[in-house]
Amino acid sequence: MSDIDEKHDPQFEKGKELHHVEVSTKEVDTGAALIAGFSGEVDPQEAERIRRKIDWHILPLMCILYWVQFMDKTTLGSAAILGIREDNNLTTNQYNWLGTIFYLSYLVFEYPQNLALQRFPVGKWMSVNIFIWSIALCCHAACHNFAGLFAVRLILGMCEGSITAGFMIVSSMFYTRTEQTLRVGYWFLMNGTAQIISGFISFGVLHIKTTTFHPWQWLMIITGMITLVCAVMFWFFFPDSPTNAWFLTMEERAIAVKRIKENQTGVENKHFKREQMIEALLDYKTWLFALFSALDNVPNSLTNQRTIIVSSFGFTNLQTTLLACVDGVVEIVTIWTGVTIAARIPNSRAYVSFIYFIPNILGVFLINFLPWENKVGLLFAQWLTGIGTTGFVLSLSWLSSVTAGHTKRITTNAIMLCAYCIGNAAAPFMWQSKYRPRNHVPWIIIGISYASCMAIVLAIRFLLSKENKKRDMEGHDDTYDDVYIERPGPDGKMEQVKVDKELLDLTDRQNRDFRYVL
């Protein structure tokens, strides 16, 4: 039992008015020691200046990396029409397995990756993973059979498990809950940018004529080298936390921590707390978000099927590679508009997600019922199914905003991303040769998944709103109002400094003043 949890003991309740509580620094947030004793409010203009400085130094790197990781992940889909299936003698089932093993590996290593992100510096740990996967991506070009491709895809999945989880942690460290909605949207919409750039790279490599190296191999080498450069940039320039960010002065670091106090989630805590992990496992919202994540990513199997489907509409390989760029444009526009609306309208995350799923349902209907000869109509219907990506993006920032306690947060992140893997790993097998060319069965499953997601986001909102109303009726909870840590003072002697409740690394259930955003 932690020192903080001991305050629920009856003896503490009986005597809490007679003495204050002293806790170990390992129990509290890393930001506590930095701003403990900090008096006064943060000047809004100064806070805004610090926020812009943070944006300038970390958002470009986050956007570049998310663009790179999505481009790398989808190289298999791009390579499908560049000769990888023929050169490696892949059957339909083997090709599907290459998509599945990536997510199975992601699934197996997701929780270890989250534990490592808590234990080690976030930026450095991600850099190591980026470096390993850049090598694995280049090694694709040396593969000549299913076994070789299976091995390198497994390594890619293992390494990528650190990126989205790491970005969710970093976003909650540096930004307020409203800011997180926009920032998560900004780095996630780079998936769309990746589709555009990957489409042009694929178009370009189709024109490379070499006798020993085929277009799909050039694609792997080019994207692998881009990733390697990204790994180096992250190692030297990406910060691990606002408490030690190289581009902030000591005073600016304190302001950076102080300005996110409203989140009531703190910065981070390097000490694993078993009781927080158990709470995460018993929290209903953990599993509702996980169910949403699994179902919403069943349609994500389109990532590796999209070029094959578009080609089946009657377009040439060159036309298909260029048309893939439109998918990216759709994703960029819809994510940007969605997160902007959600950030400007308070407590609108669930409603915005619901609305953005409607075009997806329409797209599924059109693909199933339009005449097969209407290839332009079918193409537009497929583009409609990309609009609902906004719902998953909003769920990432929403989960971070409604979960407090660092160990609990990394546990819920891991569970949600594991569910993401399950949806992605299972879905490729619904794309069977016997369903071609209309693929009615896969598209019906996709439609059911979208409809279920619409119901889940409304259910989450209803339950969290109900909990907020319950807490409003309870009044102020003063259990954690008088907590102190001991630290060296200016004269070298140990002194006791009061720690704000927001920096005690409390969970959202422990802190009854915590209110869930909707």
Side-chain angles (χ1 to χ4, degrees), residues 204-215:
V205 298
L206 272 171
H207 292 81
I208 299 177
K209 306 298 181 183
T210 52
T211 55
T212 56
F213 237 52
H214 294 172

Side-chain angles (χ1 to χ4, degrees), residues 278-305:
I278 294 172
E279 182 179 314
L281 295 174
L282 297 177
D283 193 333
Y284 68 83
K285 71 177 183 294
T286 299
W287 301 106
L288 282 174
F289 274 107
L291 179 61
F292 172 86
S293 180
L295 292 173
D296 192 39
N297 281 283
V298 168
N300 204 37
S301 59
L302 287 167
T303 300
N304 290 325
Q305 299 292 332

Side-chain angles (χ1 to χ4, degrees), residues 141-161:
C143 297
H144 298 287
N145 53 45
F146 170 71
L149 289 172
F150 188 92
V152 290
R153 295 291 295 177
L154 186 148
I155 295 172
L156 284 185
M158 175 185 71
C159 294
E160 202 207 315

Side-chain angles (χ1 to χ4, degrees), residues 284-285 288 456-469 516 518:
Y284 68 83
K285 71 177 183 294
L288 282 174
I456 292 170
V457 292
L458 294 183
I460 293 173
R461 191 187 196 283
F462 172 78
L463 292 170
L464 294 183
S465 177
K466 184 178 178 181
E467 178 64 23
N468 281 345
K469 292 174 182 176
Y516 297 103
L518 308 173

Side-chain angles (χ1 to χ4, degrees), residues 340-398:
T340 301
I341 293 169
R344 290 186 178 181
I345 303 176
N347 294 321
S348 63
R349 292 166 178 81
Y351 295 144
V352 173
S353 297
F354 183 92
I355 292 169
Y356 271 68
F357 274 120
I358 295 174
N360 291 51
I361 299 293
L362 176 60
V364 170
F365 270 99
L366 291 174
I367 286 174
N368 275 289
F369 296 112
L370 279 177
W372 187 244
E373 297 76 26
N374 188 356
K375 65 178 183 179
V376 175
L378 291 169
L379 185 63
F380 273 86
Q382 178 158 288
W383 287 335
L384 280 176
T385 63
I387 294 176
T389 305
T390 304
F392 184 68
V393 176
L394 289 173
S395 74
L396 291 176
S397 62
W398 195 7

